[in-house]
């Protein structure tokens, strides 16, 4: 017996920091807002477990079949990826801002139009304000994926993640773990690297990194010494999570919060 899995059960959806949600229904893109829907006071509040009364609004049809949707850092734009291509739309009116071919696409955590794409296993391109700024060949046998955030993360084929500075493209540090996902705190001083059956919380010294990059004290092999410090390890399988200040809230593979 041969079983072939087609597609994914994960919803193609993204929510920005203000509660505006954008999702794909086949090629159609829809949006709504969930802010305030739960009710403000005890009399109007919905009971726990109740379905939110969302009213979807059609934004239009996408030119490709969406497999991934993601808001940028301020929620003004959304990236739609699928079939080896990406399109950047305005989030409110679905107007085309940029497009291209890419295996992977990730946003920067700070710049409105800053993002990166993985063009192949040996080539990653940086974009600043929607214009290509540089291309790099990651220092790994093959680039297997990208992670957005305060630094660009490149998943290496040698069970490691390599971090690069968004502005300079400089190599910052290699962490010898095989990540499934990378979660940055809003302040950018903490990062959690989720692996198959464990996770690692590290502190990131942005000031020391910026100083080393500005003074040209970046080692091609080791990056910036002191840029990351391991705080602790979590012996659990994280399936999803979110930073709230300096606290990381997550669900594990048993469905527990």
């Amino acid at each position: 017996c041969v079983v072939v899995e087609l597609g994914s059960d994960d919803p193609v959806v993204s929510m920005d920091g203000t509660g505006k949600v954008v999702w794909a229904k086949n090629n159609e893109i829809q949006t709504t807002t969930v802010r305030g829907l739960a009710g403000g006071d005890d009399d109007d509040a919905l009971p726990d477990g109740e379905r939110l009364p969302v009213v979807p609004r059609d934004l239009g049809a996408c030119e490709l079949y969406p497999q991934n949707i993601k808001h940028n850092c301020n929620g003004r734009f959304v990236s739609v990826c699928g079939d080896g291509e990406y399109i950047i739309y305005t989030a409110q009116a679905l107007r085309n801002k940029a497009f291209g071919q890419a295996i992977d696409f990730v946003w920067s955590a700070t710049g409105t139009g800053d993002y990166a794409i993985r063009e192949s296993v040996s080539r990653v391109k940086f974009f600043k304000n929607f214009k290509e700024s540089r291309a790099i060949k990651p220092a790994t046998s093959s680039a297997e994926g990208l992670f957005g955030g305060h630094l660009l993360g490149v998943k290496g084929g040698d069970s490691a993640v390599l971090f690069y500075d968004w502005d300079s493209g400089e190599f910052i540090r290699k962490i010898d773990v095989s990540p499934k996902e990378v979660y940055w705190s809003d302040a950018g001083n903490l990062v959690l690297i989720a692996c198959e059956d464990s996770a690692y919380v590290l502190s990131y010294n942005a000031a020391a990194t910026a100083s080393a990059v500005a003074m040209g004290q970046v080692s091609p092999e080791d990056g910036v010494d002191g840029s990351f410090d391991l705080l602790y390890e979590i012996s659990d399988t994280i399936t999803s999570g979110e930073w709230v200040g300096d606290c990381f809230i997550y669900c594990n593979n048993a469905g527990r919060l």
Side-chain angles (χ1 to χ4, degrees):
C1 178
V2 177
V3 178
V4 179
E5 181 181 8
L6 299 176
S8 172
D9 291 334
D10 295 333
V12 182
V13 62
S14 176
M15 183 172 72
D16 69 6
T18 65
K20 293 176 182 176
V21 185
V22 175
W23 70 91
K25 188 177 181 181
N26 296 321
N27 283 74
E28 298 296 321
I29 307 297
Q30 296 180 315
T31 185
T32 192
T33 181
V34 297
R35 188 174 186 178
L37 287 182
D41 51 51
D42 293 337
D43 295 332
D44 297 331
L46 289 173
D48 287 347
E50 283 292 308
R51 187 188 295 268
L52 294 177
V54 297
V55 180
R57 177 171 65 89
D58 290 329
L59 287 178
C62 181
E63 299 167 34
L64 51 82
Y65 192 85
Q67 296 170 325
N68 178 274
I69 291 180
K70 185 69 176 175
H71 280 91
N72 75 328
C73 59
N74 58 18
R76 292 176 54 194
F77 298 95
V78 291
S79 62
V80 180
C81 304
D83 300 327
E85 298 182 43
Y86 73 90
I87 303 175
I88 299 175
Y89 293 105
T90 56
Q92 294 301 309
L94 210 68
R95 287 193 291 267
N96 192 318
K97 179 66 177 179
F99 62 92
Q101 294 185 334
I103 305 173
D104 281 314
F105 178 104
V106 291
W107 289 104
S108 163
T110 52
T112 297
D114 296 358
Y115 58 94
I117 63 169
R118 182 167 66 100
E119 200 172 61
S120 68
V121 295
S122 61
R123 188 174 176 85
V124 173
K125 287 184 177 180
F126 290 77
F127 289 78
K128 190 171 183 63
N129 197 23
F130 302 103
K131 298 183 183 298
E132 183 180 339
S133 58
R134 64 182 51 82
I136 64 168
K137 181 179 181 180
T140 179
S141 56
S142 64
E144 302 294 336
L146 297 181
F147 304 103
H150 288 270
L151 294 176
L152 172 65
V154 178
K155 181 178 181 180
D158 52 353
S159 298
V161 56
L162 295 84
F163 288 106
Y164 291 84
D165 180 62
W166 281 101
D167 292 328
S168 65
E170 291 280 6
F171 169 58
I172 302 302
R173 204 66 170 168
K174 179 180 180 181
I175 309 296
D176 291 314
V177 295
S178 182
K180 293 192 306 181
E181 190 57 75
V182 174
Y183 301 92
W184 285 90
S185 65
D186 289 339
N189 63 323
L190 295 168
V191 60
L192 182 141
I193 303 176
C195 303
E196 190 63 38
D197 53 7
S198 61
Y200 303 88
V201 179
L202 298 91
S203 64
Y204 171 59
N205 192 331
T209 301
S211 176
V213 170
M215 298 177 65
Q217 298 175 346
V218 180
S219 167
E221 294 81 21
D222 301 324
V224 177
D225 189 35
S227 53
F228 287 95
D229 286 309
L230 177 65
L231 298 181
Y232 44 87
E233 179 181 352
I234 300 173
S235 298
D236 206 350
T237 300
I238 295 176
T239 56
S240 62
E242 191 77 25
W243 284 98
V244 181
D246 291 344
C247 175
F248 187 75
I249 302 172
Y250 71 90
C251 287
N252 63 12
N253 60 340
R256 293 183 176 180
L257 183 65

